[in-house]
């Protein structure tokens, strides 16, 4: 190979090593030089098993360091985070499994539930709604800021602002703005002294359903799953196929009795379920005494099943799965309003909906 | 037999296609450029805290709840209240008539425009009969809490009890700052024992 | 004596042993796959046994397919190719027996371990932890023989086939061993175990299996058509690009890991595709327009051409679905599993079986029944097409957790595959029984004994 071509080859190798594989720059430089020399001056001879093996070792090390070591550096220092639960109480997240739940996790693992169920929630995008409140004092400054926002972002002005920004009332400045637009709006408006209120809306098919921003949401979680959610799981059973629904947040969705019924006979709970029956987790009992029995009607009789220890533990584990429920720094939860200021007036869309006679709150 | 003879010719390496044409390297350079751009846009800066689809750490920070100073004060006060005050005055602020803890919800002491009296009560405690919302309390003295609380804590908890709309609509008074608390505490710095109701009214007359 | 026959006789025992074990595992895979499909349709069937629950049969079938069938048949064919390309007898063939036995023991124990509830929960590495060292040992023993055979080659120059096969032989133990150590010995915490698992799957499919298949394909295309390997430079380019970029990536789009991992996977997929294009170009030109020199290889050449087409199809699909826009449609549906199966069976599996058809008569000195072979081939091809394509399409169309009728099709395909693997098994069983009857094969493990002269 000519010197020129081999130089290009070396440049490619070095760039790939530095920019894409993110190797330390002297290492990338060495990789580039070595590639140049091997291709150009020495002529890469593939005939020696030694060449092949050393090349393969080099590639293996690059692959290991790029993907494994680097992610290990980033993820090994993960710790608890403080977050709030539904009632507003602070607690440390994630909560380790207690009681029978670790055994239930083993039951989940050994029965291969991850062959059909995933335990990871993802989300697709985020949008912002911006509202502003101007007082008498800063009215003209705020109006100027709003106009500047529209000029800079190229968005059409809201009708309220076009008529003249109201004083002392919340006015919608932008609906469904992108991240950068929202940041601009926030900075312009707060610089002018207005009160700014921001509504963050996530959309993603896995997330909670919302009429405006996420009409196709399946309600499998409030936010996406992140690495911190699996801090205490030894080998997270993330799964890769969703023949059945995602289970990351199932503890917040389903109750104990529903879960038991699903395990015993899924078709009794969901008609078109493809889940096989797991009746080996249950014992047939004669009498209807005892707690926790499941009654199944067959024709005229009632048959009673008692969950085995495995089934109880498994359901305990599933009820503990609430990993897409609580906000984290890297995965905020859908937030209706970001401050405790008096709630702004309903947005235009909401007003339209009211006019159409629909209910604003979506029922599940 | 023919097959076996033919297999011997497989040793000839016919380099009909030759080495990769220079265009392959040009293509690789283009792909490197594309790859760098793609990673710029989608990799979140190789930051451990940025998850798809967020673009970078700033985006994620923007999504955080932007709390105003008032909100932070309110929440800080709520924490202090829950940790220290709620034990006697109850989480719902209604106190307990049996035990002799006066309510804070609807209390004219709390709803006074000036926070000075309440600051004094928190700082040194209160003893003796005191009338709150038409009832007289005094069975139990309130111990001093000033030793454990900083100016900011007292300011926050004051903001909380003055602005907690759950306790009634009239609870929408102003937020108290740490400076105000500091001023009042400096005024009464000599005081070591708990106040009585009359002493409080004398120290902090209504005209303020 | 014809030197080819000396080489063949040295290979006979070990290679046939490995090949036949592999075929047995294919049969086991198809039985399990059939069972798993049945469980999805008739959810009440066999619901009383934990051992037959879907979540245990499905990973067990994958283990049987990937480790039992593909790896072992790949080893067998590699051994034969190394000795023929290098014009040397198979060195230390006894290692193939021992290694093969240990490997088979490992896969069997792994299967039993999964069925009895010991699966690890990690896709791609479902076998219980203590199985991995067994597999590692078995493979390394076989690899010793392969590496030595390659080192004893008469020509210094290595053809691309040898590069690919040699590197593959080195690669699997490194990747398997690292995954084992990192996950179980160094206790990878939380999602790290998944990242290592995805890294392993990527390396196993995109590097190991691909390299084995490309090496086999490259050898047989040039030997069937009588042409030499065309385009050494392109092959070298493809080799390094495929190795470097195939070994990084494999993280799915929505995974709970920082955003740079899926983004990096996308970028490396694009680069990997350039290597695929280069090697496809070489392989295509090697066999383009040529007919098989030997009559008996005509069918095998056709099968290999079909395998190459499937390779191209799957590679293009993988490129398209590496991007977030497309990947989000296909994510978590049956598309991914179906395309992986198409790759495993339609490309690697078909290629290895076709090469086994070529090798077997030379090793065993007798042919397989041509009628059964024809039926078996039809059933196999139809089987994997029907088992995978509707499922993939259904996964794409549904785009969410509610599946359409893809499952029914895939069960029909499974039935065909079961038929195919049964026929293959019986075909080989019959032939091998006759071979064993005819000659004194059991008396010389190292294959250095002289053969009896047998009338052709």
């Amino acid at each position: 190979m000519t010197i020129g071509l081999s130089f290009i080859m070396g440049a490619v190798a070095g760039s790939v090593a530095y920019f894409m594989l993110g190797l330390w720059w002297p290492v990338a430089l060495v990789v580039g030089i070595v590639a140049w020399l091997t291709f150009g001056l020495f002529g890469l001879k593939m005939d020696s098993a030694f060449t092949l093996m050393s090349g393969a070792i080099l590639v293996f090390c690059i692959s290991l360091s790029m993907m494994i070591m680097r992610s290990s550096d980033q993820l090994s220092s993960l710790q608890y985070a403080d977050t709030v639960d539904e009632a507003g109480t602070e607690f440390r997240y994630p909560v380790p499994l207690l009681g029978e739940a670790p055994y239930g996790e083993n039951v989940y693992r050994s029965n291969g539930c991850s062959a059909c169920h995933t335990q990871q929630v993802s989300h697709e995008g985020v949008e912002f709604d911006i509202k502003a409140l101007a007082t008498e004092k800063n009215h003209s400054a705020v109006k100027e800021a709003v106009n500047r926002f529209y000029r800079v972002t190229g968005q059409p002005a809201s009708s309220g602002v076009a008529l003249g920004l109201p004083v002392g009332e919340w006015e919608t400045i932008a609906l469904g703005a992108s991240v950068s637009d929202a940041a601009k709006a926030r900075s312009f408006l707060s610089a002018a002294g207005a009160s700014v209120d921001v509504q963050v809306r996530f959309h993603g098919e896995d997330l909670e359903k919302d009429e405006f921003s996420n009409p196709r949401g399946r309600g499998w979680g409030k936010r996406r799953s992140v690495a911190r959610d699996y801090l205490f799981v030894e080998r997270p059973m993330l799964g890769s196929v969703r023949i059945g629904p995602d289970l990351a947040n199932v503890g917040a969705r389903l109750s104990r009795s529903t879960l038991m019924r699903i395990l015993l006979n899924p078709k009794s709970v969901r008609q078109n379920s493809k889940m096989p029956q797991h009746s080996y987790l249950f014992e047939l009992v004669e009498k209807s005494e005892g707690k926790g029995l499941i009654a199944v009607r067959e024709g005229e009789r009632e048959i009673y099943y008692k969950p085995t220890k495995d089934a109880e533990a498994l359901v305990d584990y599933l009820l503990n799965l609430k990993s897409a429920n609580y906000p984290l720094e890297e995965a905020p939860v859908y937030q209706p309003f970001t401050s405790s200021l008096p709630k702004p007036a309903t947005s235009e869309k909401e007003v339209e909906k009211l006019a159409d006679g629909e209910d604003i709150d979506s029922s599940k | 037999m023919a097959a076996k003879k033919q297999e011997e010719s497989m040793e000839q390496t016919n380099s009909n296609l030759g080495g990769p044409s220079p265009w392959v390297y040009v293509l690789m350079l283009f792909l490197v450029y594309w790859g760098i751009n793609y990673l710029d846009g989608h990799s979140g800066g190789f930051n451990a805290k940025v998850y798809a689809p967020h673009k970078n750490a700033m985006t994620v920070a923007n999504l955080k709840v932007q709390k105003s100073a008032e909100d932070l004060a309110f929440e800080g006060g709520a924490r202090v209240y829950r940790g220290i005050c709620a034990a006697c005055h109850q989480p719902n602020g209604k106190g307990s008539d049996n035990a002799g803890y006066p309510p804070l919800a609807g209390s004219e002491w709390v709803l006074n425009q000036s926070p000075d009296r309440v600051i004094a009560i928190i700082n040194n405690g209160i003893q003796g009969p005191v009338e709150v919302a038409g009832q007289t309390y005094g069975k139990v003295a309130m111990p001093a809490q000033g030793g454990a609380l900083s100016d900011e804590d007292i300011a926050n908890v004051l903001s909380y009890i003055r602005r907690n709309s759950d306790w009634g609509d009239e609870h929408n008074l102003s937020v108290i700052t740490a400076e105000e608390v500091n001023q009042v505490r400096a005024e009464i710095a000599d005081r070591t024992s708990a106040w009585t109701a009359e002493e409080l009214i004398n120290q902090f007359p209504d005209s303020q | 004596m014809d030197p080819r026959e000396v080489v063949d006789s040295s290979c006979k025992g070990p290679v046939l042993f490995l090949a036949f074990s592999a075929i047995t595992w294919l049969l086991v895979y198809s039985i399990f796959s059939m069972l798993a499909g049945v469980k999805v349709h008739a959810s009440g069937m066999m619901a009383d046994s934990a051992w037959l629950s879907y979540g245990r049969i499905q990973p067990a079938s994958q283990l049987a397919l990937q480790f039992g069938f593909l790896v072992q048949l790949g080893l067998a064919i590699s051994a034969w190719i190394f000795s023929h390309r290098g014009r040397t007898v198979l060195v230390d063939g006894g290692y193939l027996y021992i290694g093969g036995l240990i490997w088979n023991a490992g896969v069997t124990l792994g299967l039993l371990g999964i069925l009895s509830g010991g699966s690890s929960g990690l896709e791609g590495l479902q076998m219980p932890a203590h199985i991995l060292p067994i597999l590692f040992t078995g493979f390394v023993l076989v690899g010793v023989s392969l590496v030595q055979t390659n080192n004893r080659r008469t020509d210094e120059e290595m053809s691309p086939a040898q590069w690919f096969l040699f590197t593959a032989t080195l690669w699997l133990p490194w990747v398997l061993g690292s995954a084992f150590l990192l996950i179980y010995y160094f206790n990878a915490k939380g999602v790290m175990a998944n990242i290592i698992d995805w890294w392993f799957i990527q390396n196993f499919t995109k590097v190991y299996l691909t390299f084995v298949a490309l090496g086999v394909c490259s050898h047989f295309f040039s030997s069937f058509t009588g042409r030499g390997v065309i385009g050494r430079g392109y092959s070298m380019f493809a080799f390094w690009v495929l190795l470097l970029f195939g070994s990084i990536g494999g993280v799915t789009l929505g995974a709970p890991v920082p955003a740079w991992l899926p983004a990096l996977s996308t970028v490396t997929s694009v680069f990997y595709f350039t290597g695929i294009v280069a090697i496809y170009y070489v392989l295509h030109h090697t066999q383009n327009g040529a007919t098989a020199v030997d009559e008996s290889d005509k069918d095998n050449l056709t099968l290999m051409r079909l395998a190459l087409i499937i390779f191209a199809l799957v590679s293009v699909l993988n490129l398209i679905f590496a991007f977030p826009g497309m990947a989000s449609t296909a994510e978590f549906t049956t598309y991914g599993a179906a395309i992986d199966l198409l790759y495993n069976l339609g490309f690697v599996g078909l290629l290895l079986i076709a090469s086994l058809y070529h090798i077997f008569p030379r090793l065993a000195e007798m042919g397989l029944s041509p009628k059964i072979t024809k039926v078996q081939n039809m059933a196999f091809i139809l089987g994997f097409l029907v088992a995978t394509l509707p499922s993939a399409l259904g996964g794409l169309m549904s785009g969410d957790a509610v599946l359409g009728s893809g499952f029914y099709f895939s069960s029909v395909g499974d039935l065909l595959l079961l038929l195919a693997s049964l026929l293959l098994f019986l075909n080989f069983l019959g032939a091998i029984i006759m071979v064993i009857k005819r000659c004194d094969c059991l008396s010389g493990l190292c294959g250095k004994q002289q053969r009896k002269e047998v009338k052709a």
Side-chain angles (χ1 to χ4, degrees):
Chain A
M1 200 186 294
T2 66
I3 294 280
L5 267 181
S6 53
F7 177 75
I8 295 180
M9 201 57 204
V12 168
S15 325
V16 165
Y18 180 65
F19 290 108
M20 257 177 279
L21 302 189
L23 298 178
W24 191 30
W25 69 264
V27 176
L29 198 61
V30 166
V31 167
I33 292 177
V34 164
W36 179 24
L37 290 175
T38 355
F39 282 106
L41 290 182
F42 303 135
L44 183 64
K45 286 229 182 302
M46 298 280 282
D47 300 323
S48 150
F50 181 72
T51 313
L52 280 182
M53 190 168 81
S54 15
I57 290 178
L58 180 66
V59 171
F60 183 74
C61 291
I62 290 177
S63 151
L64 206 61
S65 72
M66 180 60 204
M67 215 172 137
I68 309 292
M69 298 304 163
R70 191 178 211 178
S71 43
S72 172
D73 281 342
Q74 289 191 341
L75 298 178
S76 61
S77 56
L78 273 184
Q79 293 294 333
Y80 301 87
D82 289 321
T83 180
V84 286
D85 72 358
E86 295 94 333
T89 334
E90 282 199 4
F91 71 104
R92 287 226 135 136
Y93 178 85
V95 180
L97 295 175
L98 299 171
E100 286 295 302
Y103 177 63
E105 188 183 23
N106 277 337
V107 174
Y108 185 98
R109 192 192 303 279
S110 75
N111 281 306
C113 306
S114 54
C116 295
H117 293 279
T118 57
Q119 274 187 25
Q120 40 174 321
V121 177
S122 62
H123 95 252
E124 286 157 33
V126 61
E127 286 176 345
F128 291 77
D129 292 343
I130 318 277
K131 294 186 168 78
L133 174 79
T135 59
E136 280 281 351
K137 276 188 285 185
N138 53 24
H139 184 243
S140 48
V142 173
K143 212 163 153 193
E144 171 61 41
V146 170
N147 287 332
R148 187 175 158 217
F149 169 73
Y150 288 137
R151 266 199 321 271
V152 167
T153 57
Q155 291 211 348
S158 84
S159 52
V161 174
L163 293 175
L165 186 70
V167 171
E169 274 179 35
W170 288 99
E171 175 59 40
T172 306
I173 306 298
L175 273 178
S178 70
V179 174
S180 46
D181 287 351
K184 285 196 191 87
R186 189 179 260 142
S187 59
F188 293 168
L189 289 168
S190 2
S195 304
V196 186
D197 215 15
V198 177
Q199 177 174 358
V200 182
R201 294 192 273 122
F202 293 118
H203 55 91
E205 283 191 354
D206 295 346
L207 300 182
E208 299 289 319
K209 188 171 154 138
D210 177 84
E211 284 301 320
F212 300 155
S213 50
N214 204 20
R216 285 162 61 207
R218 296 187 205 117
W220 286 342
K222 294 207 177 112
R223 57 157 175 85
R224 66 160 302 147
S225 301
V226 295
R228 211 189 293 263
D229 296 328
Y230 308 97
L231 202 56
F232 296 122
V233 188
E234 267 200 12
R235 288 182 295 279
M237 290 160 289
L238 296 181
S240 64
V241 191
R242 282 189 186 151
I243 299 174
D246 184 275
L247 297 181
N249 217 19
V250 72
R253 278 205 313 272
L254 298 179
S255 67
R256 172 173 282 269
S257 58
T258 316
L259 285 169
M260 284 291 184
R261 280 199 180 271
I262 289 179
L263 284 173
L264 178 59
N265 187 359
K267 282 201 154 62
S268 67
V269 176
R270 275 178 231 288
Q271 272 199 325
N272 56 353
S273 166
K274 294 210 163 33
M275 175 166 160
Q277 292 177 8
H278 286 77
S279 33
Y280 59 86
L281 288 173
F282 295 88
E283 293 162 354
L284 207 56
V285 290
E286 294 293 322
K287 310 198 197 326
S288 62
E289 310 159 355
K291 292 180 11 177
L293 293 183
I294 305 179
V296 171
R297 176 152 285 134
E298 229 175 80
E300 308 220 317
R301 303 177 302 142
E302 277 217 333
I303 308 186
Y304 295 94
Y305 289 94
K306 182 167 153 56
T308 54
K309 180 163 167 269
D310 279 5
E312 296 276 359
L314 179 61
V315 172
D316 275 345
Y317 167 68
L318 290 174
L319 288 174
N320 266 301
L321 286 180
K322 291 186 195 169
S323 68
N325 225 17
Y326 306 112
L328 288 175
E329 184 191 342
E330 58 264 28
V333 165
Y334 170 89
Q335 301 146 41
F337 294 102
T338 59
S339 76
S340 63
L341 297 170
K343 289 205 163 65
T346 49
S347 70
E348 291 160 25
K349 277 199 203 155
E350 290 167 324
V351 171
E352 279 170 28
K353 273 188 154 329
L354 282 174
D356 287 341
E358 285 175 28
D359 208 337
I360 297 180
D361 287 339
S362 63
S363 49
K364 294 241 163 43
Chain B
M1 273 304 161
K4 293 180 179 171
K5 281 222 175 77
Q6 209 59 27
E7 278 181 277
E8 291 184 51
S9 73
M10 78 189 175
E11 274 311 317
Q12 295 167 346
T13 47
N14 255 337
S15 333
N16 294 6
L17 300 178
S21 85
W23 290 108
V24 172
Y25 299 112
V26 175
L27 172 71
M28 293 298 275
L29 275 175
F30 268 121
L31 282 182
V32 170
Y33 175 70
W34 168 83
I36 294 170
N37 272 328
Y38 185 86
L39 284 176
D40 264 346
H42 289 86
S43 67
F46 286 82
N47 189 321
K49 293 236 172 100
V50 178
Y51 287 77
H54 305 303
K55 292 278 184 332
N56 49 39
M58 226 188 52
T59 312
V60 180
N62 263 334
L63 294 175
K64 258 207 305 222
V65 173
Q66 305 273 339
K67 293 205 169 99
S68 59
E70 293 175 18
D71 288 339
L72 288 170
F74 190 82
E75 283 174 18
R79 273 200 286 277
V80 173
Y81 186 83
R82 269 204 299 274
I84 297 179
C85 321
C88 298
H89 290 290
Q90 303 309 314
N92 61 5
K94 293 215 163 57
S96 163
D97 288 344
N98 297 355
Y101 307 136
L104 300 179
S107 157
E108 62 271 27
W109 294 83
V110 173
L111 292 172
N112 198 337
Q113 284 297 332
S114 161
D116 301 349
R117 292 177 192 167
V118 183
I119 295 174
I121 293 177
I122 295 177
N123 199 32
N124 300 104
I126 187 170
Q127 60 188 352
V130 56
E131 187 171 325
V132 180
Q135 273 195 288
T136 312
Y137 296 83
K139 202 161 67 166
V140 172
M142 170 168 156
Q145 307 292 336
L149 295 174
S150 66
D151 292 342
E152 197 177 332
D153 287 333
I154 297 182
N156 286 347
V157 76
L158 268 169
S159 306
Y160 176 72
I161 62 179
R162 286 159 68 90
R163 293 175 65 75
N164 191 356
S165 52
D166 288 343
W167 291 356
D169 287 332
E170 60 275 15
H171 282 266
N172 59 354
L173 302 177
S174 60
V175 169
I176 303 298
T177 62
E179 287 79 30
E180 294 177 60
V181 173
N182 194 317
Q183 248 182 333
V184 173
R185 282 175 110 179
E187 268 183 51
I188 56 172
D190 312 333
R191 180 88 191 193
T192 47
S193 57
W195 298 89
T196 62
E198 294 79 33
E199 285 170 340
L200 277 174
I201 294 172
N202 287 344
Q203 179 81 17
F204 303 105
D206 269 329
S207 57
Q208 287 157 329
Chain C
M1 203 176 351
D2 188 357
R4 307 252 162 231
E5 287 174 15
V6 174
V7 172
D8 278 335
S9 70
S10 73
C11 290
K12 182 154 75 166
V15 169
L16 284 181
F17 168 66
L18 285 180
F20 192 63
S21 324
I23 292 171
T24 318
W25 282 114
L26 181 65
L27 184 62
V28 170
Y29 159 74
S30 50
I31 294 174
F32 276 145
S33 172
M34 190 74 227
L35 272 177
V38 159
K39 294 232 66 164
V40 175
H41 301 322
S43 69
M45 248 170 85
M46 300 175 290
D48 290 330
S49 162
W51 276 55
L52 291 177
S53 66
Y54 180 84
R56 294 189 187 181
I57 296 185
Q58 205 269 343
S61 71
Q62 285 299 308
L63 182 72
L65 174 69
Q66 290 176 334
F67 288 85
F69 170 61
L70 291 174
V71 173
Q72 251 192 113
L73 196 51
L75 285 174
I77 312 275
S78 305
W80 189 88
I81 292 180
F82 276 139
S83 27
H84 269 266
R85 274 271 167 187
R87 298 166 162 229
T88 167
V89 295
L90 186 67
V91 176
D92 281 341
Y95 277 110
L96 263 76
Y97 280 121
I98 301 176
L101 275 171
I102 296 180
W103 182 267
N104 279 317
V107 179
T108 313
L109 286 174
L111 201 78
L112 292 173
I114 292 177
L115 288 178
S116 65
S119 52
S120 69
L122 294 171
E123 317 244 328
L125 281 173
Q126 292 273 18
M127 62 288 254
H130 53 271
I131 301 294
L132 285 170
I134 303 178
L135 293 175
F136 181 85
T137 314
F139 191 94
V140 166
L141 286 175
V142 175
V144 163
S145 169
L146 294 182
V147 168
Q148 283 190 291
T149 309
N150 191 39
N151 277 345
R152 296 255 197 107
R153 62 186 181 281
T154 48
D155 287 327
E156 183 57 32
E157 191 181 76
M158 281 208 270
S159 64
Q162 283 158 306
W163 307 336
F164 281 112
L165 291 176
F166 178 72
T167 311
T169 313
L170 294 177
W171 205 257
L172 185 62
W174 293 350
V175 177
L176 195 65
S178 311
F180 170 72
L181 283 176
L182 286 169
I183 296 178
Y184 294 108
Y185 190 73
F186 291 112
N187 279 327
K189 193 163 93 155
V191 182
M192 269 315 297
N194 291 101
I195 295 177
I196 295 168
D197 179 48
W198 291 322
W199 175 78
F200 174 78
I201 294 174
Q202 170 84 354
N203 273 285
F204 183 76
T205 311
K206 298 262 161 48
V207 180
Y208 176 72
L209 285 183
T210 306
F211 274 34
V212 167
L214 288 176
V216 167
C217 192
S218 162
H219 169 83
F220 283 110
F221 272 173
S222 63
S223 89
F224 284 168
T225 60
R227 301 176 180 173
V229 168
I230 299 173
R232 202 177 158 84
Y234 276 105
S235 306
M236 185 159 79
F237 170 80
F239 175 82
W240 288 111
V241 165
L242 289 175
L243 188 62
L244 177 62
F245 295 104
S247 62
I248 302 175
V251 178
T252 51
L253 179 68
V257 289
W260 64 269
L261 276 160
L264 188 67
S265 304
T266 307
V267 171
T268 55
S269 300
V270 172
F271 276 82
Y272 184 76
F273 186 72
T274 56
I276 299 261
V277 168
I279 196 67
Y280 181 82
Y281 182 54
V282 169
L283 290 172
H284 180 75
H285 275 274
T286 308
Q287 54 82 39
N288 199 17
T291 49
V293 168
D294 191 343
E295 271 302 308
S296 63
D297 288 329
K298 250 211 226 149
D299 287 338
N300 297 338
L301 187 57
T302 316
L303 287 177
M304 292 194 179
R305 280 175 172 149
L306 177 64
L308 193 68
I309 292 174
I310 291 178
F311 172 63
L313 172 70
V314 172
S315 304
V316 169
L317 284 176
N318 280 339
L319 175 70
I320 296 175
F321 283 91
F323 290 93
M326 297 297 298
S328 53
T329 327
E331 207 186 10
F332 300 137
T333 63
T334 49
Y335 167 85
I339 295 297
D340 281 343
L341 189 63
L342 182 63
Y343 191 79
N344 284 343
L345 285 178
F347 172 52
V348 187
L350 187 60
L351 208 55
L352 291 176
I353 290 180
S355 37
L356 190 56
Y357 284 140
H358 171 84
I359 292 177
F360 187 86
R362 284 160 179 75
L363 290 182
E365 301 259 310
M366 65 167 290
L368 297 165
S369 154
K371 270 195 267 181
I372 297 186
T373 306
K374 262 200 159 51
V375 176
Q376 188 269 331
N377 282 334
M378 300 279 284
F380 189 72
I381 293 172
L382 217 56
F384 69 69
L385 284 177
V386 171
T388 59
L389 290 180
S391 195
L393 205 58
L396 286 180
M397 289 189 335
S398 69
D400 65 14
V402 178
L403 288 172
S405 52
F407 263 122
Y408 294 96
F409 280 110
S410 73
S411 280
V412 172
D414 283 336
L415 200 56
L416 287 169
L417 277 174
L418 181 57
L419 178 68
S421 48
L422 191 62
L423 287 175
L424 186 62
F425 178 77
L426 290 175
N427 208 355
F428 273 87
L429 185 62
I432 285 187
I433 289 177
M434 294 195 60
V435 165
I436 292 179
K437 267 203 236 169
R438 246 206 265 166
C439 80
D440 239 348
C441 306
L442 295 176
S443 60
L445 274 183
C446 292
K448 287 191 181 126
Q449 308 269 348
Q450 277 200 342
R451 287 177 308 110
K452 275 195 217 160
E453 289 284 284
V454 178
K455 279 220 185 101

